[in-house]
Structures are given as C-alpha cells and as structure tokens.
C-alpha cells in the first residue's frame, strides 16, 4: 500500500501546483493507491516564500499583492472587500451600516473558501482515491478563514470576528460536511475523527478541531473526547488488521536528546503504551507547519513520521506499507523523490542539526544547500 501525504499546504497556489505535479509527472512513474490530504488546505495568511526559512518577512509582506489574491480567491466579491479595506484605512472604523454590509461579505468569503475546499477534495478524489483529515484552518470552532480575510484586508482578526457575528456564518461548515458526505465512497473518505479499514490496514485521522487536546477548557476537552472516541474505534477493529496508521493534526511537544515528539494528548500517549506487542506495523504521522524536512524514526514500537509541510515550497511525502515501512521525501519544485533512512530515537547519536539530518537523508549537504537550512532550528526540532 503506497500513499501520498500532503499536510498544511495552506495556499491555493501550493495545492494546485502539487495536484498538477502528481497528475502530470508522479503518477506516470509511481503507482499510488491513495492520497491523504492531512488538513490545513486553507490558510492564505500562512504563505511564505521558498522553503520558508531565512527570508525577509517584512519585504515579503511588502511585495505581497493582496488585492490581486482577493481577485483570484473570491472574484465576485473582491471589489466589495477592497472597498471596505479602503474605508477602514481612511477612517479607522466602520459605521453601523458599513458593519452590516461587511458582515455579509465576510459570510460570502467564508462560503467561497469552503467551496474551494470542497472542489479541491473532489478534484483529488477524481485523480486518485483520497482521504481527508480536517485541519485547524477548516475547524468549525475557530473559522480561521476569517484570519485569512483579516490578513488580506490588513485588519485585526478580532475586529472581523466581531463584525462577522452580525451574520449567521456558522452554518457554512455544516453545509460543507453535508456536501463531502456526497463524495463518500470508493474514491473519497473523510477520516476526520474516523477509523476505517482498507484491506488489513486501519487508517485513522485525529482532526485539528482545536490546536490543543490538553484538557484545560471546553474546546480542548472536546478535542480530547473526539480522540477518545477515535481510539475506541481503532481498538474495536484491531483483530481485523495487521497495520495501523494514525494521522495527527493536533498538538505535540517537541523534545531533544534524542529528538522526538510527544503527542499532546494523554490518551494517545496511553494508547501507544498499550499497543506494545500488537500489530505488525504501527505508524504515527504528525503534521506541523514549520518542518522543512521529514523526520522518520522508531520509538516505542511505533514508526514516527514528522511529515514535510507543503506550505514550504510544496514538499510532501510518500509512505509505503508492505513487509517494511518506507518513507520518501518529495520535492516537486526540484522534481526529486528521495527515500529516507529510519533511525531508532533511543540509540541515535548526534550533536548537530546536520548530523541529525544525516540520520534520515543520504545527502544532507545537498538538502541544506537547496533548502537554505544552514543552522535551521527545525532540522533537529
């Protein structure tokens, strides 16, 4: 079983480039059984140049053509949004009537962005069977599409969220869920909070409804309850499976000496311990939008894959499950697919980020040069 994993692409430009690369190049060379879109397809405000490391953020934002992007994302309402952007720039506030009209535009913006999300899922599923795990940018708790719009209007998200309450925009997510239910079948599965069995492999998605699953508030408790329900579903299916893959879009704690991640959810940590001696292969895939390389290691009988972040120059991964687990770094801008080595996080020895990178990559110097990673914190963390 061979799968593509795409996490945190965030921009329409990134996800469209990846789609075209898969369709026009990758599928002509490699057989792919399915694609996993592991959340955060939305999030234009997270855009960054190149591999996202060592760039002049002020200059990047200065040259960012926000009005042109608005025209591309929401052509039917772009001029209206730009109008209110100028009103606030000139007056520093909105009148009551202006807030009512802007609230309608915000609602329309959110609707259009979720329509784009739906069309993206549909497009990928028509190319290769596709699984979807919801990210925090698609979460109905946060509606971070408002953050997108605030970025494009040069406004604070808190201001737009307050104005957005003048319209009932929260139905948009529920309509989106109804629409993707219509896609469900052999070509598409929504694994957000669900565990499904394909042949002898359990595939389970921990969605990013909330950034944290540590029970501190009602939102975190909801996230942890969803995780509990998912793990219970996995346990019920264990007797039918030889392999398990968990895709996590929630928080994790990053640790050094040796490098590893610690899932933020207490329930997941307990589950990992309970799974010792069970199944042939267990894989835990963690997304995080700053990683510019893949981390691939074994710990506690789990294969951990800290996957490439597609917002960083469209990089993604291929994972193959057979007699052994194989992981590949895919850099479509360089048209390169690199198979990675796996290391044991308990026994690995290194003192520099470059040495840590060499545990996975056969050509670490080439990676450092291409991705401009000299001294990069995220190679080891």
């Amino acid at each position: 079983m061979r799968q593509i994993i795409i996490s945190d692409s965030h921009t329409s430009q990134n996800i469209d480039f990846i789609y075209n690369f898969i369709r026009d190049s990758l599928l002509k060379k490699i057989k792919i059984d399915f694609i996993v879109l592991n959340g955060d397809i939305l999030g234009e405000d997270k855009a960054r140049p190149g591999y996202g490391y060592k760039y002049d953020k002020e200059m990047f934002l200065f040259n960012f053509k926000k009005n042109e992007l608005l025209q591309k994302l929401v052509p039917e309402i772009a001029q209206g949004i730009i109008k209110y952007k100028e009103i606030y720039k000139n007056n520093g506030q909105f009148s009551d009537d202006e807030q009512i009209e802007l609230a309608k535009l915000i609602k329309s913006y959110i609707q259009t962005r979720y329509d784009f999300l739906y069309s993206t899922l549909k497009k990928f599923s028509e190319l290769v069977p596709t699984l979807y795990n919801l990210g925090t940018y698609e979460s109905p708790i946060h509606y971070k599409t408002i953050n997108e719009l605030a970025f494009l209007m040069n406004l604070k998200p808190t201001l737009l969220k307050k104005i957005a309450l003048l319209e009932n925009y929260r139905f948009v997510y529920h309509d989106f869920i109804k629409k993707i239910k219509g896609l469900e079948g052999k070509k598409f599965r929504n694994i957000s909070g669900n565990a499904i069995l394909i042949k002898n492999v359990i595939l389970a998605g921990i969605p990013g409804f909330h950034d944290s699953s540590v029970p501190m508030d009602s939102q975190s408790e909801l996230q942890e309850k969803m995780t509990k329900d998912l793990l219970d579903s996995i346990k019920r299916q264990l007797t039918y499976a030889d392999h398990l893959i968990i895709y996590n879009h929630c928080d994790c704690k990053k640790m050094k000496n040796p490098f590893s991640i610690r899932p933020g959810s207490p329930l997941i940590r307990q589950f990992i311990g309970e799974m010792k001696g069970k199944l042939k292969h267990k894989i835990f895939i963690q997304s995080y939008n700053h990683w510019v390389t893949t981390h691939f290691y074994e710990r506690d009988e789990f294969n951990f894959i800290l996957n490439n972040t597609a917002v960083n120059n469209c990089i993604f991964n291929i994972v193959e499950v057979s007699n052994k687990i194989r992981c590949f770094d895919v850099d479509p801008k360089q048209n390169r697919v690199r198979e990675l080595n796996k290391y044991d996080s308990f026994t690995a020895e290194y003192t520099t980020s470059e040495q840590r990178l060499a545990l996975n990559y056969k050509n670490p110097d080439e990676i450092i040069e291409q991705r401009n990673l000299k001294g990069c914190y995220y190679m080891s963390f």
Side-chain angles (χ1 to χ4, degrees), residues 12-20 22-23 27 35 37 115-130 183 187-188:
S12 56
Q13 183 178 18
N14 287 338
I15 198 65
D16 288 345
F17 183 91
I18 292 169
Y19 172 85
N20 291 334
I22 292 171
R23 181 193 63 191
L27 290 180
I35 294 171
L37 294 173
D115 287 346
F116 167 77
L117 176 59
Y118 170 80
S119 66
T120 299
L121 299 179
K122 186 174 185 292
K123 180 171 70 173
F124 271 89
S125 69
E126 290 169 349
L127 183 66
V128 176
T130 297
L183 293 178
K187 299 287 285 182
F188 176 81

Side-chain angles (χ1 to χ4, degrees), residues 340-364:
L340 303 178
N341 298 317
K342 182 173 67 173
Y343 65 92
D344 187 314
S345 83
F346 284 118
T347 60
E349 294 184 3
Y350 59 90
T351 56
T352 67
S353 296
E354 290 77 9
Q355 289 171 347
R356 206 295 310 159
L357 192 65
L359 295 173
N360 286 138
Y361 290 82
K362 300 179 179 70
N363 49 353

